[in-house]
Amino acid sequence: MTDDESAERTVREERALSPMRKTIASRLQESYREAVHVTVNRSVDAEGLLSAVAAADPTEDGVSPSMVDVLLCALSDTLDEHPAFNATFEDEAHVLYEEHNVGVAVAIDDGLVTPVVADVGSKSLGELASERRELTERVVDGDYTMSTFRGGTFTVSNLGPLGVDSFDPIINPPEIAILGVGRITERATQNGDGDVVFRRQMPLDLSFDHRVVDGADAARFLGTLAEHLDAAEKYV
């Protein structure tokens, strides 16, 4: 190939962005332009979490609480202890909120959206499971308005079911933090007696806006979350 030649490209298809995809693209661009993104990673023991899921009874409407539902309970307790993360940052103001309005990422045809589960801390595990299931089904079916995605104070994105081990989740502005959840795997660990045992572990990736909170704050946040997950059967 000479300097005057170039590889041919045959257009297979040209896709215009849908209105939803344009909104997602705009918000992600805003997030990367405005926030100072940093991600900290920690693998936590998942045995307590999974034991709680196994012990949870179905709700009256037949919904079985999932790993995400138990995680939301532990997350709410963690946000109580680290309120700086349950917040937004706009107009140079770090605004902390009483309610834990957690956006839980859901994949639809047009992309990843985050319907908000309102006031997580006020709900039982069963109530959370029923509300989140109903909210997810409505979003997947296209039965939602933009208010479904507003008012969030923190976001969770779980890519574990898709086989992802770890990732750097993008903050959902104007929130200041988002928790990424990877797939649960079994790993060899050493117990207190020095014996090697196999325990299930779950990777957590916390992205935060470094303008507002620091890495040490994020590390302590994940440490508290790990403690609540170890004692997750208290939510059943």
Side-chain angles (χ1 to χ4, degrees):
M1 181 180 295
T2 68
D3 291 340
D4 294 331
E5 295 177 333
S6 61
E8 292 186 1
R9 298 184 302 180
T10 303
V11 176
R12 175 174 177 175
E13 182 181 1
E14 184 172 325
R15 298 179 178 179
L17 295 183
S18 67
M20 173 66 79
R21 191 71 236 180
K22 287 181 180 179
T23 299
I24 293 172
S26 176
R27 289 183 63 79
L28 293 180
Q29 186 177 33
E30 175 191 350
S31 180
Y32 256 84
R33 183 175 61 246
E34 299 293 337
V36 179
H37 288 74
V38 176
T39 304
V40 294
N41 317 98
R42 174 168 176 159
S43 184
V44 301
D45 190 283
E47 294 295 342
L49 169 66
L50 296 175
S51 293
V53 174
D57 293 325
T59 62
E60 292 183 359
D61 51 357
V63 176
S64 296
S66 72
M67 180 271 290
V68 172
D69 300 313
V70 178
L71 175 65
L72 287 177
C73 291
L75 174 63
S76 181
D77 281 347
T78 302
L79 291 172
D80 268 336
E81 297 181 51
H82 302 271
F85 288 86
N86 189 58
T88 58
F89 185 62
E90 290 182 287
D91 301 323
E92 302 302 317
H94 180 201
V95 183
L96 284 63
Y97 300 93
E98 293 286 348
E99 297 84 8
H100 304 150
N101 298 338
V102 181
V104 181
V106 175
I108 61 175
D109 289 342
D110 281 340
L112 204 64
V113 295
T114 53
V116 175
V117 182
D119 202 6
V120 169
S122 69
K123 296 177 173 66
S124 67
L125 175 61
E127 290 169 336
L128 269 177
S130 293
E131 181 175 335
R132 191 181 66 81
R133 173 72 65 85
E134 188 268 341
L135 187 61
T136 299
E137 290 177 349
R138 283 199 293 110
V139 169
V140 171
D141 292 340
D143 180 21
Y144 58 84
T145 65
M146 291 311 297
S147 63
T148 307
F149 312 110
R150 293 185 180 133
T153 60
F154 192 93
T155 296
V156 173
S157 181
N158 178 22
L159 292 182
L162 298 177
V164 173
D165 293 314
S166 183
F167 62 106
D168 293 334
I170 300 174
I171 300 166
N172 188 18
E175 297 168 20
I176 68 161
I178 178 172
L179 181 70
V181 183
R183 66 171 174 169
I184 295 174
T185 56
E186 193 172 57
R187 297 182 183 177
T189 59
Q190 193 173 49
N191 63 17
D193 297 326
D195 298 323
V196 175
V197 296
F198 286 89
R199 295 182 67 85
R200 290 168 292 185
Q201 297 191 353
M202 179 173 66
L204 299 176
D205 307 294
L206 180 66
S207 290
F208 60 94
D209 189 340
H210 211 325
R211 296 175 301 173
V212 185
V213 290
D214 295 323
D217 301 319
R220 285 188 284 267
F221 180 99
L222 288 179
T224 300
L225 180 55
E227 292 173 1
H228 287 303
L229 290 173
D230 280 341
E233 289 198 50
K234 64 185 176 183
Y235 302 118
V236 176

